[in-house]
Amino acid sequence: MAPELTRREVLRIGAGAGLAGLLAACGVTGSSNTSSTAGATGSTTATPSTTGAGASTRELSLWIVDHNPAVQAALEDSIIPAFHDANPGYRVKLRFTGWDRFAEEVTTAFTGGVGPDIYQGGAVWVGQQVDRGWALPLSSYVGQAPGEWNWDDFFPGAKEDVTVDGEIYAIPYRVAPRTLWYRSDHLEEEGYTTPPSTWEDLREIANATVRREGGSITRQGFDTFLGGAPAWQGEMQTYWDFMHSAGGQFLSDDLSRCTLTEDAAVEALEFLTQLVLEDEVMPYPSFEDQGELSALELGLTAMGMMFELPDIRVRQYAPDQADFVHATLPLTHATQASHLYVNKYFVSSQTQDPEGSWLLLQHLTASQPLEAYSAAGGYLTPRASLGEADYLTENLKTVAQAGQFGVPYPRHANLLEMFRPFSENLDRCFRGQLTPLETMQETADAVDALL
Amino acid sequence: MAHDADPDLPHRRHPRFTPMTLVRLAVALLAFMWAVPLGWMGLMSITPDAEIFSSGILPSEVSLAHYRSAWTDIHMLGLLANSAIVSIAAIAGQVFLAAMAGYAFARLRFPGRNLIFGVLLITMMVPFEVLVIPLFLAIQKIPLLGGNDLFGNGGIGAVNSHFGLMLPNLITVYGVFLFRQMFLGFPRELEEASIVDGASRARFFWSILFPNAKPVVITMGMLAFMWSWNDFLWPLIIARDSDMFTVQIGLSSFNEQYGTRWGPLMAGSVLATVPVIGAFLLAQRWILGSFLRSGLKG
Amino acid sequence: MISPATRVTEGGARGLSYLHRIWEREWFSAYRFLLLPIALLALIKVYPFAYNFFLSVTDGGFQDEVSFAGVEHFRELIDDRTIRNATFNTFYLTALVVPIGTAVSLFVAVVVNDRFRGRAGVRLGFVLPMVTSVVVGAMVWDLIYLPRGGLLNTILASHGTDWLQTPDLAMPAVALVILWSSIGLNLLVFLAALQDISPDLLGAAEIDGATRFQQFQHVTLPGIRHSLLFVVATLTITVFRSFGVIYVLTQGGPVQRTNTLVWESYLNAFGYLRFNRAAALSVVMVVIILIITVVYFRMLRSVD
């Protein structure tokens, strides 16, 4: 018959398991207080193991998402200790996390009221954070910052990106300006020694450098999508560059309607579709990445728009191609402009210590600490004065310079949602299913519905 | 090779290759194809970086570098330990709690029985992703934990703790459902007899019913372990510090901003999957074993 | 009722026996058994579910002010083209996975039910994928689907086809991954059901001259009808709730072709921070699943 399990035995087992669970629950509750870094992500306090905090020590929590081991070391070993030295009475609790889970973490933290004091945020975040009321207004703090901190040192586009209705809600710490990249070897083959500076130049060179064999393209003259972004956004990224340089806008200044149907915006799309569908300088979709490398580093396209990524990729994964991959300043059409991605620090509106949080934020974005942080990560800063910093390669210096011409996203809370019909319609446009004007009209209708 | 069925039936002589053999071969091939992704995972975990994207299938040399990376880069030991703690608690929770509830719903009459069960069934239909934020709130507001006062305010409750990690996996409606199904199938006479003999219901449950439900208990235990071990979204949200991360979260950190480190990712995945496969095989053997020992068909 | 064998002492006997009477009352027993499980379930399932429903009919919530919104969010959902698209995609995915998944697992179950050499290995091959986590499984398939160097393209010699980024191929690619991981469980369900089919019935049919296929049609199929409906229903619910695969592989793309109701709900909550809308969407999902379940029960009853 079935083995007898007496009640006593069962209780004992159950108690044992329950006790184990209880011990686990009470005992270990997360945050380490030693300065040990646990691999790629983790949480540490930057102060070496101190014996108990004084009653007046105030803790500030800082969530960092742009990092690598060198950055972590820079923060823990020099940047944060420097802050502690200059501001005794504060203790910074660092937390490193990743972009892939950052949205979930921030959202749940804030809805639960247990958010950090200062946190990094990405390109479309300002509109959302302000709309939700999670970002603390910072204009008054900026106004009172010491002279050498210098708000005017920041690129105009970067400053614009963090300002809503005249109020500053975040401080940029990193920018990724988009600009034109080209392969000098492809251009030289066709006798071009300088890269294009206008749309017409671009078109001319693209048509000259494209290679076809038996009716299909074997080497692109221009690539509208070199990766490095969520794939679903596709060609939209490059479109923004051309829209800016045509003087067009996605939304009206008061964010009340979609202005894609205006001439400048349509013109930008017409130019791109002409390149793709008439001149056929690239297939659609364009050549995809292979492993870490995009078509540019692989030598499969002569030109393309991108932020600083090609330089990093080519040096790390294809150093033999490094001599041929170059950046140049953005193209000029109605104006010289391209898109600017801005990453910024927010102060939480739920913080218990706004003054302390601002002090830390001010420190992190001051010239020297910011340079240390960016050098460790290979990031470009939003400060014009750091455009020639030593850690930058030639290409990166060019891209940094492009930051002056960078135009950021409009500060609307529903941007991500609006991008979706836009990228869908762009896809249909590049497949020849919609004319540029139709694309813009349909998109404007969809976007207006979301406003 | 004859019928597995009634030995009284006349044996039919089977020719060597019947259409059935072909079908079996086809199915075996399909099974092989089904297991291929797992094999690919193992293969990629020992393929050097340069060859992962090549069109070949076999690597030219076997490299264990990925395992070394996976082990150290994300502190695998800690991850495995956390997953283990949480999953073992899940086994205990699901097996005992779900069984208790299942018995109550199956055998005991009480007011509101059908209503409560119905409500529970409906909650089963909602995807977990949807419940995540309110659940996080609830966990964060548990009184007297993590710095919270009596009303659950002020601190972080069970957030970022092993307890918070294991909480949603301690019992599932599916488990209650399963045990209820099982207990419904038990003969009532057994229970009535033991009550007449003077046993309390509790004693009946623990001494007689529960031990006889071995196959379901083991199955449930294995499922509980599996669900908890494989859980991704909840640990992502509730664990803040890396020393609370579970294995699945650790793996996701190989998806870096501009690319994925496939080699260590595959190696880490192998390390993460082996315990679950082990648990599964063990459970299979125990279930079969309990069949043999108890003489039940199951 | 009271156990006559309860041993009590005189004196306090009457009081104790009264307590004992209550203790052994059936409903009290039930509550004893249910206390801990239900308390836990209330916390981790019922409360979030109720809060979610609350969010769907209000504006605000969590740390913000709350105001009643009635069916406002639901009305918005009906008008939204993206939602209609997501609903279509969800049903499309279901249509891809459920028939094939049910048929294949049934077919394999029938074949594997007979004893033959290697049968355990075959069963294991199908069941192992079920044991891997959704994330691990999806990441392996991500590798397999790579345009260059991915296993699928190598085998099919379709070098360069980007399965996950080609609009028409993306959903089938997702469907394949879900099929891959779900066949195992359904196979086990069918196997268990097949065990219950009396071999006498099969034997009798065979003697009557029925072919294997006819045996299947007239004996096996009716015999496992409960499990058949169970598999169809649970597989449908699984597909509806499927999140991890899309999260890892396509994130709803390309151009929204793999955007399902669950994904849309997740995006609304964590991407756009529109919690009330996300909640409303999930309520819609529950309603759809409820309808499916009711249909399933009806069919079950009609077939009995």
Side-chain angles (χ1 to χ4, degrees):
Chain A
M1 278 269 74
E4 277 267 354
L5 199 64
T6 67
R7 181 185 190 182
R8 218 168 289 134
E9 282 179 55
V10 170
L11 280 179
R12 212 181 300 137
I13 297 174
L19 194 61
L22 210 57
L23 275 175
C26 296
V28 193
T29 47
S31 51
S32 59
N33 270 322
T34 58
S35 2
S36 60
T37 35
T41 60
S43 167
T44 72
T45 46
T47 51
S49 34
T50 45
T51 53
S56 58
T57 307
R58 285 179 280 184
E59 205 181 77
L60 297 169
S61 56
L62 171 63
W63 286 12
I64 301 281
V65 79
D66 268 332
H67 64 86
N68 60 32
V71 168
Q72 288 178 31
L75 279 166
E76 286 162 7
D77 300 337
S78 57
I79 299 177
I80 300 298
F83 175 74
H84 287 142
D85 290 340
N87 302 281
Y90 283 107
R91 202 178 72 170
V92 176
K93 184 166 171 228
L94 272 172
R95 179 161 182 267
F96 297 105
T97 179
W99 281 109
D100 52 318
R101 41 177 190 278
F102 202 41
E104 287 91 336
E105 288 177 347
V106 168
T107 307
T108 43
F110 274 97
T111 50
V114 289
D117 292 302
I118 304 141
Y119 55 106
Q120 294 185 334
V124 298
W125 282 50
V126 175
Q128 280 188 338
Q129 298 291 308
V130 172
D131 186 64
R132 275 269 128 202
W134 290 349
L136 190 73
L138 299 174
S139 295
S140 55
Y141 295 104
V142 170
Q144 290 164 13
E148 65 263 16
W149 186 77
N150 198 2
W151 180 234
D152 290 322
D153 187 26
F154 287 79
F155 290 136
K159 286 193 288 187
E160 200 190 317
D161 183 77
V162 295
T163 310
V164 178
D165 288 337
E167 177 74 36
I168 302 172
Y169 283 96
I171 306 295
Y173 66 87
R174 178 184 177 185
V175 295
R178 283 178 64 95
T179 192
L180 183 67
W181 289 80
Y182 66 98
R183 289 197 62 106
S184 53
D185 50 348
H186 293 199
L187 265 61
E188 269 161 33
E189 266 175 43
E190 296 301 316
Y192 292 97
T193 49
T194 54
S197 56
T198 66
W199 288 16
E200 291 70 33
D201 293 344
L202 176 76
R203 187 160 175 233
E204 186 187 316
I205 298 183
N207 275 301
T209 53
V210 66
R211 292 279 177 274
R212 302 186 185 89
E213 231 165 86
S216 59
I217 300 172
T218 52
R219 199 179 77 182
Q220 301 171 146
F222 182 75
D223 194 329
T224 53
F225 182 54
L226 287 174
W232 66 268
Q233 287 188 19
E235 271 56 29
M236 193 184 68
Q237 312 247 316
T238 296
Y239 170 75
W240 279 84
D241 296 317
F242 283 86
M243 182 185 78
H244 290 317
S245 105
Q249 271 181 285
F250 184 67
L251 298 177
S252 58
D253 284 334
D254 57 359
L255 305 182
S256 65
R257 60 193 173 82
C258 177
T259 50
L260 283 178
T261 45
E262 288 172 8
D263 289 341
V266 179
E267 190 189 350
L269 186 55
E270 281 172 348
F271 178 73
L272 286 175
T273 48
Q274 189 184 49
L275 273 182
V276 176
L277 295 174
E278 283 179 34
D279 299 341
E280 291 185 354
V281 301
M282 63 172 247
Y284 183 80
S286 58
F287 296 163
E288 81 280 346
D289 294 359
Q290 281 182 39
E292 312 291 344
L293 301 172
S294 77
L296 183 75
E297 300 98 35
L298 291 167
L300 292 174
T301 187
M303 298 180 287
M305 299 294 295
M306 213 1 179
F307 46 93
E308 74 265 20
L309 203 51
D311 189 67
I312 299 173
R313 282 170 163 173
V314 82
R315 277 183 292 121
Q316 208 175 345
Y317 301 107
D320 53 321
Q321 304 286 312
D323 286 336
F324 309 120
V325 173
H326 297 280
T328 180
L329 291 179
L331 297 173
T332 309
H333 191 64
T335 172
Q336 185 174 25
S338 65
H339 193 69
L340 185 70
Y341 295 118
V342 182
N343 286 5
K344 58 281 267 183
Y345 284 110
F346 292 93
V347 174
S348 157
S349 60
Q350 296 171 1
T351 182
Q352 309 283 341
D353 188 350
E355 277 77 28
S357 299
W358 168 256
L359 282 177
L360 179 56
L361 181 43
Q362 187 186 294
H363 177 81
L364 290 169
T365 51
S367 262
Q368 222 180 5
L370 187 60
E371 188 178 348
Y373 172 79
S374 308
Y379 310 140
L380 297 175
T381 75
R383 284 183 174 277
S385 63
L386 293 175
E388 294 285 319
D390 295 328
Y391 70 93
L392 295 171
T393 65
E394 281 311 308
N395 277 334
L396 289 183
K397 284 186 185 155
T398 311
V399 181
Q401 245 193 305
Q404 301 168 39
F405 308 107
V407 181
Y409 282 129
R411 264 73 59 214
H412 197 280
N414 291 346
L415 272 188
L416 278 181
E417 248 187 296
M418 297 175 195
F419 288 167
R420 290 166 73 192
F422 191 22
S423 58
E424 263 184 73
N425 291 334
L426 277 179
D427 177 72
R428 287 158 72 200
C429 180
F430 281 111
R431 289 179 194 275
Q433 295 163 7
L434 289 176
T435 69
L437 189 57
E438 284 168 355
T439 308
M440 294 320 203
Q441 279 165 345
E442 282 200 33
T443 306
D445 288 340
V447 170
D448 281 332
L450 288 167
L451 283 169
Chain B
M1 266 293 289
H3 283 275
D4 313 328
D6 194 332
D8 285 347
L9 277 177
H11 285 218
R12 201 208 272 148
R13 247 174 298 119
H14 291 273
R16 194 87 195 154
F17 289 106
T18 60
M20 206 53 209
T21 318
L22 275 173
V23 171
R24 292 201 184 124
L25 270 171
V27 169
L29 190 63
L30 198 63
F32 177 72
M33 280 164 52
W34 232 250
V36 157
L38 290 179
W40 191 245
M41 176 172 92
L43 200 60
M44 288 291 106
S45 71
I46 53 175
T47 305
D49 264 327
E51 297 182 27
I52 289 190
F53 300 108
S54 73
S55 310
I57 295 196
L58 290 176
S60 59
E61 47 159 339
V62 168
S63 148
L64 287 179
H66 299 317
Y67 282 94
R68 238 172 288 138
S69 279
W71 190 262
T72 51
D73 288 353
I74 57 176
H75 195 47
M76 198 60 149
L77 191 61
L79 298 178
L80 288 171
N82 284 333
S83 284
I85 293 176
V86 168
S87 301
I88 292 178
I91 296 179
Q94 295 252 28
V95 160
F96 293 115
L97 297 176
M100 282 162 62
Y103 171 62
F105 282 116
R107 277 284 173 264
L108 305 175
R109 278 157 307 184
F110 53 93
R113 177 171 84 169
N114 286 332
L115 178 67
I116 298 181
F117 193 63
V119 168
L120 290 179
L121 276 188
I122 295 190
T123 64
M124 199 164 77
M125 296 177 192
V126 190
F128 181 71
E129 295 70 32
V130 151
L131 303 177
V132 146
I133 299 185
L135 185 56
F136 178 83
L137 271 180
I139 302 290
Q140 184 236 323
K141 287 220 175 310
I142 296 183
L144 305 177
L145 276 184
N148 276 345
D149 58 21
L150 213 58
F151 295 102
N153 294 320
I156 57 171
V159 170
N160 202 41
S161 68
H162 282 119
F163 186 54
L165 272 173
M166 66 176 73
L167 214 45
N169 288 314
L170 286 179
I171 182 172
T172 60
V173 181
Y174 186 86
V176 174
F177 198 16
L178 204 64
F179 274 110
R180 176 178 175 271
Q181 274 312 100
M182 204 232 171
F183 291 144
L184 277 176
F186 266 71
R188 263 188 189 276
E189 298 78 49
L190 218 62
E191 179 169 357
E192 280 160 21
S194 75
I195 291 184
V196 165
D197 277 348
S200 70
R201 285 194 195 282
R203 191 181 163 81
F204 165 72
F205 178 72
W206 292 113
S207 316
I208 300 179
L209 194 62
F210 195 69
N212 263 307
K214 263 231 171 64
V216 178
V217 166
I218 294 176
T219 305
M220 202 57 228
M222 190 217 81
L223 283 176
F225 181 79
M226 194 174 94
W227 289 332
S228 175
W229 188 270
N230 288 341
D231 198 4
F232 174 70
L233 190 57
W234 178 248
L236 184 92
I237 286 183
I238 201 77
R240 291 248 179 124
D241 302 327
S242 69
D243 52 359
M244 272 297 135
F245 284 174
T246 62
V247 146
Q248 309 294 337
I249 310 293
L251 287 180
S252 73
S253 61
F254 286 123
N255 278 322
E256 289 166 359
Q257 194 173 5
Y258 296 133
T260 308
R261 295 171 56 205
W262 290 107
L265 179 62
M266 289 298 117
S269 301
V270 168
L271 290 174
T273 310
V274 160
V276 198
I277 294 185
F280 175 72
L281 293 173
L282 259 174
Q284 267 212 316
R285 184 167 309 167
W286 274 344
I287 296 184
L288 287 176
S290 79
F291 281 165
L292 293 172
R293 255 181 286 127
S294 64
L296 287 168
K297 185 179 169 252
Chain C
M1 299 312 282
I2 306 179
S3 148
T6 307
R7 254 178 269 161
V8 292
T9 59
E10 291 299 335
R14 203 154 296 150
L16 272 176
S17 79
Y18 181 67
L19 277 175
H20 193 91
R21 217 177 302 163
I22 304 240
W23 190 259
E24 282 304 314
R25 271 255 144 79
E26 198 164 333
W27 57 265
F28 198 80
S29 269
Y31 288 147
R32 258 191 307 149
F33 274 91
L34 285 176
L35 185 63
L36 198 49
I38 294 291
L40 215 46
L41 279 173
L43 176 70
I44 63 180
K45 286 275 185 286
V46 180
Y47 168 73
F49 182 79
Y51 197 92
N52 190 57
F53 184 74
F54 163 73
L55 278 179
S56 71
V57 293
T58 55
D59 276 319
F62 301 122
Q63 310 282 319
D64 305 329
E65 279 177 24
V66 178
S67 58
F68 189 64
V71 292
E72 181 64 42
H73 299 298
F74 295 99
R75 218 175 286 152
E76 272 176 31
L77 290 177
I78 297 182
D79 288 331
D80 194 330
R81 205 193 103 217
T82 312
I83 304 297
R84 283 203 292 269
N85 180 49
T87 312
F88 171 76
N89 284 339
T90 310
F91 278 106
Y92 177 47
L93 182 61
T94 310
L96 282 176
V97 174
V98 176
I100 301 178
T102 313
V104 171
S105 37
L106 181 55
F107 175 68
V108 174
V110 168
V111 172
V112 168
N113 199 29
D114 299 332
R115 228 175 279 157
F116 61 89
R117 224 175 3 179
R119 160 213 215 198
V122 170
R123 201 178 51 206
L124 197 65
F126 283 111
V127 168
L128 271 187
M130 153 187 119
V131 153
T132 57
S133 77
V134 172
V135 168
V136 164
M139 290 200 282
V140 176
W141 276 95
D142 208 358
L143 244 192
I144 294 180
Y145 279 137
L146 278 179
R148 264 173 244 268
L151 187 59
L152 192 60
N153 281 342
T154 305
I155 292 181
L156 296 179
S158 53
H159 205 60
T161 309
D162 195 341
W163 297 90
L164 298 174
Q165 292 306 319
T166 308
D168 287 329
L169 294 177
M171 198 56 125
V174 169
L176 182 56
V177 180
I178 300 180
L179 263 172
W180 176 77
S181 55
S182 61
I183 293 251
L185 186 60
N186 294 323
L187 173 63
L188 292 178
V189 169
F190 279 133
L191 270 177
L194 287 173
Q195 303 275 14
D196 283 343
I197 303 241
S198 160
D200 300 333
L201 276 170
L202 276 170
E206 190 168 4
I207 291 181
D208 280 347
T211 65
R212 264 196 98 103
F213 185 69
Q214 282 170 322
Q215 287 173 44
F216 177 75
Q217 218 179 337
H218 298 283
V219 178
T220 314
L221 219 42
I224 57 165
R225 62 189 187 279
H226 291 122
S227 298
L228 192 56
L229 287 171
F230 176 80
V231 164
V232 170
T234 51
L235 196 49
T236 305
I237 295 183
T238 303
V239 172
F240 258 81
R241 296 173 43 153
S242 206
F243 172 76
V245 177
I246 297 179
Y247 180 83
V248 173
L249 292 182
T250 57
Q251 298 93 47
V255 292
Q256 270 61 262
R257 289 299 291 271
T258 59
N259 188 33
T260 59
L261 287 171
V262 177
W263 183 255
E264 186 66 29
S265 176
Y266 166 82
L267 264 187
N268 268 281
F270 292 100
Y272 313 150
L273 306 182
R274 312 235 256 138
F275 305 114
N276 307 95
R277 210 171 122 100
L281 201 44
S282 69
V283 169
V284 168
M285 260 194 296
V286 170
V287 167
I288 295 181
I289 295 180
L290 206 54
I291 294 178
I292 294 176
T293 318
V294 165
V295 169
Y296 153 61
F297 272 116
R298 284 281 159 76
M299 291 177 71
L300 191 61
R301 230 177 301 159
S302 79
V303 136
D304 257 332

